[in-house]
Amino acid sequence: MVLHPVLGKLVSKRVVLASASPRRQEILTNVGLRFEVVPSWFKETLEKSSFTAPYEYAVETAKQKALEVANRMHVKHLRTPDVVIGADTIVSVDEQILEKPIDKQDAYRMLSRLNGKEHSVFTGVAIIHCHSKDNRLEMEITDFYEETKVKFSELSEELLWDYIHSGEPMDKAGGYGIQALGGMLVEYVHGDFLNVVGFPLNHFCKKLAELYYPPSKHNAQHKKYNSIPSVDTFENRSDGEGESSNFTEYKVASKLDSSGMDSSGAVYTSENSSAVRTGFTVPLENQNGVSQSASKLPSKILELMDGFRASKVLFVASKLKIFDNLKKKGPMKAVDIANDIGTSVCGTERLLDACASLGLLEKTPQGYSNTDSANTYLTSDGKYSLHGYIIHSNDHLWPLFTNLEYAVQEGSRQNHRAFGKKADDLFKDYYHSQEVKQRFMAAMHSIARLTAKDVATAFDLSQFKSACDLGGCTGALAHELVQVYPNLKVTVFDLPEVIANISFFQPSGQHTAPVTFVSGDFFKDNLPEADLYILSRVLHDWPDEKIHVLLSKISAVCRPGLNMEKML
Ligand SMILES: Cc1cn([C@@H]2O[C@H](COP(=O)(O)OP(=O)(O)OP(=O)(O)O)[C@@H](O)[C@H]2O)c(=O)[nH]c1=O
C-alpha cells in the first residue's frame, strides 16, 4: 500500500484531531499530516454494560468525541472542519474494560490485573467528513477499531510500585505506556504497536484508501449489502463499499436549533459483519463514573489560559488591516498579503492560519478570504465595524491589563506603567494626542453604533420630547434615538476636545437635524435642559465621589412631573 497519496487526500482539507492525547498528535504529525487539535469535551461516561463487546464501547466513545467537536465548531460558527478524527483507547482483560487510572491505587489495581497475562488493547477511531449547508451540519461518519494483544511478564510488587511512582501510568489506558518505561513490562505484542500507543495508523490509512479510492463496482459486486448504500459525497468516490469488516459508515445530518442543541439521525450503510463479539462485564469502579471523571478536561480553564492568544491574533490582524485588504482583493495568498502590508511571509502565513482556525478567515486552495462576519465587523469601513474598538483594546486596554497584577497590589490605575504618564484625569490620557483621541473616539463610536438600536429600544422613551446624552461622544446613540423616536430632540454633551472632532463620525443624509452637540465638562458646567438624561458607558469610569457629584447635578436639574432619569 502506498501511504503518501492517501494522506495527500487530506492536504487540502481542514483536518481536526478531536483528541488531547499527545501520542495521537505525535503519530499523525510524524507521517506529515497537517491538522488542528481541538480536544473533545465529551465525557467518557457511556454505560459500558449497554455494549456487548469492549470494542463497541471504544468505537462509540471515539465517535461521540468527534461528533462533539464537529458540532461545537459548527455551533460556535468556527469554520466547519472538513474532517474530524476522534479516537479512544481501552484495555480489556478478563472481560473488563480499563481506562485511565484515577490515582496510584487505581493504577496498582489495573497493573495487578494485567500482571503475567495477555490482554487486548482496542482503539476505536471515528473519521467524520463534515459539510455545512444552509446552517445545517451534514456529516458522514466512518468508524472502525483495531485490536492488539499484549502480554505482561510476571512482575514483582516492588517493580509495579516503582513504575507507578514514575507517574507514567496516570494518563494512559490500563495504567501503562508501552512506548516508554511501560515497554519494560511487556513480553510480547501481537498486532499493531501504534494501536497500543493510541492510534492504529495502518488501519487508518487503509480506511482512508477505502474512502478515497474505493474498489471498482466490478470488484465490489460480490459484496453483500445489508442496508441502504451511502450517498456519494466525497471527491473521487465511487459506489464501492470498503473491503474490511470491522468498521461502520453512516450519514448524519445535524441541524442547529435556536438553543444551539443539535438533533441528529443516522442511516447505516454497512455493518460490522465479521467483528468478533466477546462478552464482558464492567468493573464497579468504572460503573459509578469515578474513573471517568479523572479524564475530564478543565476546558473552561484551558480556554482562559489561551484566550489572550486568540485576542492578540484578532488585534494584530485588525491592526495590519488584513480584513480590509481581503475585502478589497480576496482571496489572496499569504505571500501577496505579506507583500501588500510589508510583513514577513512566514509570520503572515502563521497569523492567517491562526485567523482561519479562529473562524475569522476562510482558507481554500485559492488563498485566504474574509468570512461574512469579518466583512461585517472587522473591516474598518463597515456600518457595524468593530475595528475602532479592537484597536483601542490592543493599544490602550492591553497594556493596562498587562499591569493588572500591580493594579490589584496597589489599588490604583496603571497608566504610569503602561504609558509612562500619570492619569490624574482619565480622559487626559485619551486626549493627549490627536491620534490617541481619534482612536478612542473611533472605539466608542464603533461599539455604540453596534449596540445603539438595542439600547434605544430597551425602554419605551416615546413620552419624552428632549434628551441629553451625557458623554455621548460622537452621537452614535443619539442618532439612533432620533430614528426610533422621531419626536425626540437629543443633545449630546461632551468635552470640547471631543465635540471639535465629531464631524468625521456624523452620518450623511437627512436624519441628522434633531441631534445637537454642546461642549462642556459635566462635572463643572451647567447641564443642558432635558426631559431625560442618558449616561451610557460613563459611570464605570469614575470613583464613587465623582459619580455622586454627577448624579446630584442631574437630580438638581430634573424637573418634576415628566422628568425622569434613566441610567443606561
Ligand atoms: C495502552 C496505552 C495507552 N496510552 C494512552 O492512553 C490514552 C487513552 O485514553 P483516551 O481516552 O483514549 O485518550 P485521551 O488521552 O484521554 O485523549 P482524548 O482523545 O482527548 O480523549 C491515550 O492518550 C493513549 O495515547 C499510551 O500512551 N500508551 C499505551 O501503551
Side-chain angles (χ1 to χ4, degrees):
M1 187 170 75
V2 190
L3 293 179
H4 187 66
V6 177
L7 291 178
K9 282 280 175 191
L10 295 178
V11 165
S12 60
K13 298 188 191 300
R14 185 183 186 201
V15 179
V16 167
L17 176 64
S19 173
S21 167
R23 277 74 58 179
R24 291 191 186 117
Q25 293 166 27
E26 195 182 339
I27 290 168
L28 291 171
T29 303
N30 283 347
V31 291
L33 192 70
R34 288 189 59 172
F35 55 90
E36 293 157 44
V37 175
V38 180
S40 181
W41 296 350
F42 176 74
K43 297 189 180 82
E44 297 174 34
T45 50
L46 292 174
E47 181 52 57
K48 296 187 183 70
S49 58
S50 64
F51 297 90
T52 48
Y55 68 82
E56 286 181 354
Y57 172 82
V59 167
E60 187 59 29
T61 303
K63 199 169 75 194
Q64 293 304 329
K65 286 181 186 179
L67 280 170
E68 188 279 321
V69 168
N71 277 316
R72 174 154 42 99
M73 294 184 83
H74 182 62
V75 171
K76 290 201 164 178
H77 303 292
L78 299 172
R79 196 160 73 82
T80 304
D82 299 312
V83 180
V84 178
I85 302 163
D88 189 63
T89 301
I90 56 165
V91 163
S92 172
V93 62
D94 300 334
E95 302 185 342
Q96 293 188 335
I97 287 179
L98 307 180
E99 294 181 282
K100 288 166 288 190
I102 52 167
D103 55 25
K104 288 186 173 178
Q105 206 55 45
D106 199 25
Y108 174 73
R109 271 199 301 273
M110 291 186 181
L111 291 168
S112 306
R113 268 188 198 139
L114 303 177
N115 199 357
K117 279 197 285 213
E118 185 184 89
H119 63 268
S120 286
V121 179
F122 292 100
T123 298
V125 176
I127 308 168
I128 304 187
H129 284 79
C130 305
H131 180 64
S132 181
K133 203 176 161 198
D134 304 331
N135 206 27
R136 275 172 62 87
L137 176 62
E138 291 181 352
M139 295 182 276
E140 192 148 345
I141 307 172
T142 303
D143 59 43
F144 66 91
Y145 69 90
E146 182 68 32
E147 177 178 8
T148 304
K149 304 260 191 209
V150 177
K151 181 169 184 257
F152 271 26
S153 301
E154 292 285 352
L155 308 164
S156 67
E157 292 283 299
E158 195 191 355
L159 194 145
L160 285 187
W161 277 111
D162 272 357
Y163 180 56
I164 291 165
H165 291 316
S166 75
E168 191 175 280
M170 296 318 295
D171 62 343
K172 302 188 179 70
Y176 73 96
I178 197 167
Q179 68 277 19
L181 294 177
M184 292 190 280
L185 318 178
V186 170
E187 204 167 284
Y188 67 70
V189 177
H190 287 162
D192 182 354
F193 179 84
L194 290 181
N195 182 52
V196 184
V197 180
F199 197 79
L201 182 65
N202 180 268
H203 198 157
F204 176 70
C205 291
K206 284 179 181 157
K207 197 56 57 195
L208 290 183
E210 286 165 9
L211 286 173
Y212 295 129
Y213 305 101
S216 66
K217 273 189 179 152
H218 174 76
N219 292 338
Q221 68 191 356
H222 301 299
K223 285 189 72 68
K224 187 177 80 175
Y225 287 99
N226 293 305
S227 57
I228 313 155
S230 66
V231 178
D232 181 359
T233 55
F234 302 135
E235 50 176 351
N236 296 338
R237 208 172 155 194
S238 76
D239 291 332
E241 276 282 289
E243 291 281 359
S244 92
S245 51
N246 49 348
F247 78 101
T248 314
E249 278 180 62
Y250 45 96
K251 279 177 76 77
V252 176
S254 161
K255 172 119 178 113
L256 306 177
D257 65 18
S258 55
S259 68
M261 303 292 289
D262 75 283
S263 57
S264 52
V267 182
Y268 286 77
T269 59
S270 70
E271 68 166 25
N272 284 355
S273 52
S274 68
V276 183
R277 291 174 183 238
T278 51
F280 68 103
T281 54
V282 184
L284 271 177
E285 64 270 27
N286 281 345
Q287 270 173 339
N288 65 18
V290 176
S291 71
Q292 283 87 346
S293 66
S295 67
K296 255 197 284 177
L297 275 175
S299 14
K300 189 77 212 164
I301 294 172
L302 294 176
E303 230 173 71
L304 291 173
M305 272 165 54
D306 282 341
F308 76 99
R309 298 172 206 238
S311 303
K312 198 66 181 171
V313 165
L314 170 65
F315 296 169
V316 172
S318 297
K319 199 146 195 197
L320 293 172
K321 299 262 179 106
I322 283 176
F323 304 108
D324 283 344
N325 230 332
L326 287 175
K327 189 174 183 184
K328 268 189 240 136
K329 305 185 195 164
M332 286 173 84
K333 303 270 188 210
V335 59
D336 299 322
I337 299 174
N339 281 340
D340 268 15
I341 61 178
T343 50
S344 72
V345 177
C346 66
T348 307
E349 186 168 20
R350 283 174 185 213
L351 180 67
L352 293 166
D353 282 342
C355 287
S357 73
L358 291 170
L360 306 174
L361 295 179
E362 303 266 356
K363 185 181 180 186
T364 62
Q366 286 71 47
Y368 300 88
S369 46
N370 283 346
T371 56
D372 289 347
S373 81
N375 273 334
T376 309
Y377 301 113
L378 302 181
T379 52
S380 59
D381 58 352
K383 183 174 178 203
Y384 295 112
S385 168
L386 283 168
H387 184 81
Y389 203 83
I390 290 169
I391 300 303
H392 172 67
S393 303
N394 184 66
D395 293 359
H396 193 83
L397 302 180
W398 182 276
L400 284 173
F401 268 77
T402 305
N403 290 292
L404 181 61
E405 193 180 331
Y406 292 111
V408 173
Q409 276 167 358
E410 298 162 6
S412 58
R413 295 183 194 280
Q414 292 300 315
N415 298 55
H416 57 295
R417 281 203 172 82
F419 308 114
K421 60 177 108 52
K422 263 187 102 187
D424 304 336
D425 177 347
L426 174 70
F427 287 91
K428 277 198 188 127
D429 192 47
Y430 290 144
Y431 301 145
H432 73 276
S433 83
Q434 186 66 9
E435 189 201 334
V436 174
K437 179 167 36 188
Q438 292 214 329
R439 194 182 71 208
F440 176 66
M441 289 179 68
M444 294 305 113
H445 186 71
S446 68
I447 199 77
R449 199 150 61 161
L450 187 71
T451 54
K453 191 158 199 104
D454 286 341
V455 175
T457 53
F459 307 91
D460 178 8
L461 305 177
S462 53
Q463 59 177 312
F464 300 105
K465 296 275 179 291
S466 61
C468 176
D469 188 359
L470 295 164
C473 200
T474 63
L477 176 59
H479 284 295
E480 189 64 43
L481 283 166
V482 298
Q483 294 283 317
V484 178
Y485 306 102
N487 296 326
L488 187 67
K489 296 205 173 352
V490 184
T491 305
V492 175
F493 188 79
D494 214 317
L495 293 168
E497 302 91 303
V498 174
I499 303 296
N501 283 276
I502 54 162
S503 56
F504 176 73
F505 299 99
Q506 297 316 296
S508 51
Q510 66 278 40
H511 296 297
T512 56
V515 175
T516 48
F517 289 85
V518 174
S519 60
D521 181 334
F522 51 47
F523 289 117
K524 297 183 193 143
D525 300 320
N526 290 337
L527 304 181
E529 279 195 8
D531 299 336
L532 172 76
Y533 290 92
I534 299 166
L535 290 165
S536 173
R537 294 177 180 271
V538 166
L539 295 181
H540 69 279
D541 286 328
W542 305 105
D544 285 355
E545 320 82 75
K546 291 202 118 184
I547 292 174
H548 185 74
V549 170
L550 180 57
L551 295 183
S552 303
K553 279 186 82 171
I554 297 171
S555 167
V557 292
C558 277
R559 292 181 303 233
L562 181 65
N563 256 314
M564 182 176 144
E565 292 166 39
K566 285 269 180 217
M567 266 147 259
L568 305 177

